[in-house]
Amino acid sequence: MANNQKKRDFSSTMRSSNRQFLPSDHAQERPVKVGFVLLEHFSLMAFTAAVDTLVTANLVRTAPLFEHITLGVDSRKALSDLGIEIATNATLEHFAIEHRGSIDILIVCGGFRCDLKQNPKLTETLKAADKLGLTLGGIWNGSIALAHAGLLDNQSCAAHPDNHAYIREQFPKVQLADTALVMSEKRASCAGPVSALQMMLTLVDQYYGEDTARAIREILSCDQVAESGGKMKLQAGDDPTLPETLRSLMQLMGNNIEEPLTLEELAAHVEISRRQMERLFQNHLETSPSRYYLELRITHARRLLLQSNETITNIALASGFVSTSHFSNCYKDYFGVSPSAARAKK
């Protein structure tokens, strides 16, 4: 008899965590090309936050989504604010932006001690990029270079608070924001390292969608400090905007992988009915409790399978599956390959 078993798709909540390991169902687009202009004394922390976002984007998908290059203004070396010298791929003089395909996004990386005076080479490059319709951005006080080129007139931008007085005095046509991040159709600006990460996540979202941006955020923001008590939050995907009852149910599931609780036991733990629990999952996660629990367990199994040398039988048991055959069938339904084939590919 022919096997007509339909492949399962992860629900939106769990798809981002597993996207890297899912088979691609469409031809890969050309990677988005991002250029970073490194000003002397640029913020290394802000720059690496931005680049790390792009590098991680390439890790959570099966094919590269971004390419990036670094550009020096007058030299192939740029000194960061930490005194660490970065060798750039090229200088502005030797990187002619001749056509739209050579680069898609150009971001000027500033820092606390960067020279704020206009640089003719940088101004010329930014104007050429603007004529080609590129997205232009500024990190820390990098947006000042865009203002010198007249590319922020009557537009809003973000910058480090230390530079607000200078911008107001020198560029009266620029609308200085009191927020750390400003995004528009062809402009992006941020005030520091944390907002640099958010700026790049927003750009990822614009190009490749919310699922990809969420997957990157889960990896890079897993240790963010909670607002209350300074405790470190390590549970990826723990969304504080979700109802407390739903978050408690998700935590219960996460803490009971090897011996899964029944839906009745889960509901009883948080003192709601099973029907109320089903509505919570459907309204906020667009899935059912049983489906979320299964996807949580299969994701746990995938991590053990690719990160440990445990036998497939032990991994199946540790992930709450009653038999190896059931586990193998579920794994293949979601990931398109058997557990043994997935391990052979790692």
Side-chain angles (χ1 to χ4, degrees), residues 68-344:
H68 76 273
I69 62 168
T70 52
L71 301 168
V73 177
D74 299 303
S75 169
R76 284 287 303 274
K77 295 180 180 179
L79 188 67
S80 72
D81 57 345
L82 300 183
I84 298 174
E85 206 168 51
I86 301 296
T88 63
N89 297 105
T91 63
L92 295 181
E93 183 178 359
H94 293 94
F95 183 77
I97 302 178
E98 298 174 348
H99 54 85
R100 182 66 170 81
S102 62
I103 197 166
D104 301 292
I105 303 171
L106 188 62
I107 297 173
V108 183
C109 300
F112 193 74
R113 292 184 290 136
C114 286
D115 190 345
L116 304 182
K117 294 195 299 291
Q118 183 174 18
N119 182 289
K121 291 179 184 177
L122 182 53
T123 295
E124 181 182 351
T125 298
L126 292 171
K127 286 183 176 180
D130 180 59
K131 286 182 179 179
L132 290 172
L134 273 61
T135 296
L136 302 177
I139 294 176
W140 201 292
N141 47 26
S143 53
I144 290 177
L146 276 69
H148 278 304
L151 302 177
L152 289 178
D153 288 354
N154 304 312
Q155 296 193 50
S156 181
C157 81
H160 192 279
D162 190 63
N163 303 119
H164 282 200
Y166 177 85
I167 293 174
R168 289 193 179 98
E169 179 68 25
Q170 297 294 321
F171 309 106
K173 293 183 179 181
V174 174
Q175 300 168 6
L176 184 62
D178 59 0
T179 56
L181 173 65
V182 172
M183 304 290 298
S184 63
E185 185 179 358
K186 291 294 182 180
R187 298 289 183 270
S189 54
C190 63
V194 175
S195 51
L197 172 61
Q198 182 57 47
M199 183 177 83
M200 301 310 293
L201 285 170
T202 305
L203 289 171
V204 170
D205 189 348
Q206 290 175 357
Y207 278 94
Y208 294 107
E210 182 182 352
D211 284 347
T212 302
R214 185 189 299 118
I216 300 166
R217 188 189 301 278
E218 287 183 3
I219 294 171
L220 298 184
S221 302
C222 71
D223 62 346
Q224 67 189 58
V225 180
E227 292 182 1
S228 58
K231 295 181 180 179
M232 303 298 282
K233 185 187 79 174
L234 279 175
Q235 185 171 347
D238 186 12
D239 187 348
T241 65
L242 296 176
E244 186 63 34
T245 301
L246 178 56
R247 295 172 68 192
S248 296
L249 286 165
M250 294 166 71
Q251 185 173 13
L252 273 170
M253 292 178 177
N255 291 340
N256 292 274
I257 296 288
E258 186 171 352
E259 297 182 6
L261 301 174
T262 66
L263 296 186
E264 288 74 16
E265 288 172 328
L266 288 166
H269 270 291
V270 296
E271 300 179 341
I272 61 173
S273 69
R274 175 169 171 169
R275 180 61 183 149
Q276 287 174 311
M277 178 175 65
E278 289 172 344
R279 281 200 298 267
L280 274 174
F281 274 86
Q282 190 60 50
N283 291 341
H284 295 278
L285 301 181
E286 298 181 351
T287 189
S288 66
S290 57
R291 181 181 177 185
Y292 176 84
Y293 209 172
L294 173 61
E295 291 178 359
L296 194 67
R297 289 162 47 216
I298 205 74
T299 299
H300 178 77
R302 187 262 300 163
R303 289 169 177 150
L304 290 177
L305 184 70
L306 301 183
Q307 297 175 17
S308 76
N309 293 319
E310 284 290 336
T311 65
I312 291 176
T313 298
N314 286 344
I315 289 172
L317 294 174
S319 304
F321 291 92
V322 295
S323 70
T324 303
S325 61
H326 181 218
F327 166 59
S328 295
N329 288 334
C330 285
Y331 195 94
K332 189 171 184 178
D333 288 346
Y334 276 106
F335 293 104
V337 294
S338 67
S340 57
R343 173 166 277 179

Side-chain angles (χ1 to χ4, degrees), residues 31-44:
V32 176
K33 299 178 181 180
V34 184
F36 293 95
V37 179
L38 305 183
L39 303 180
E40 202 73 1
H41 304 299
F42 70 96
S43 168
L44 186 60

